[in-house]
Amino acid sequence: MKHLRYLIALIALLAVSNAWAVGGGSGSWSIGGNIGFINSDQEDMNKVIDAVASGASKFGNAWEGNAQITRRLSGSSIAIGLRPSYYYYKEESGTDAKYNLGGFTIFPMLKWYMLEDKSIKFYSQFGIGYGHMSGEIEETGGNVKFSGSNIGYMLGLGAEFCIVPGHCINVEGGARFLSFNRFIVDSTSGFFTGDSIITQADKGKEFEIEDDGERDFAASMSGILAMLGYTFYF
């Protein structure tokens, strides 16, 4: 119990102390951006590709880029910010077929600078936000565009290396939980025939596939994030 009191006191001291701050300390703003990848699982899209054997590659890791603006609370090691991001897959194409997925997120973030000195900052962060995803499938005879949105959350750890005061290179690792279990058809043309497992693609209705019974098509922005970026403090 005695050691627990010491630990709580140390955390409280770090949270209110300016002694750890460097060129981006208490009361400062920062802007920056990151680029990296996330290992989302697109199981349903890959099933659609497999069904028609079009020769298109399956969907695996996605690219992601984000921008961020952050405000460090005065007299604290806590910062709040806003982080919009763009989620991108290269369009996959095969014989008379093409497949595409992409989207964006907007996450308010809470960041805690756990430890700092003049050249390095270690931090943890957490956010709850909004994601929007859209896609397109074109196969022989049919084309459908669809979209959906949901709320998710993310968390992670990072480090900033500030060789020049106020200018930092940052490395982040984290996890995001953001799935889309229902999409609405935005536009459609033609008819899906042959081996296609697409069963419902009428405009304004739910986008559905055949998978041991008819069900909603699903996709995901969940996964492990690895990011590299730049932050400027002012």
Side-chain angles (χ1 to χ4, degrees), residues 19 23 35 49 60 62 92 100 113 116 151 185 204 210 213 226:
I35 188 169
I49 294 172
E92 301 294 349
N100 196 16
Y113 293 92
E116 304 172 78
I151 301 296
V185 175
E210 173 65 33

Side-chain angles (χ1 to χ4, degrees), residues 117-150:
D117 64 20
K118 292 182 179 180
S119 60
I120 190 170
K121 306 169 185 282
F122 293 102
Y123 60 87
S124 61
Q125 57 185 354
F126 175 79
I128 298 176
Y130 168 86
H132 179 88
M133 198 172 198
S134 60
E136 179 180 7
I137 296 173
E138 182 176 325
E139 296 174 352
T140 301
N143 176 279
V144 60
K145 295 180 181 179
F146 51 93
S147 62
S149 59
N150 203 1

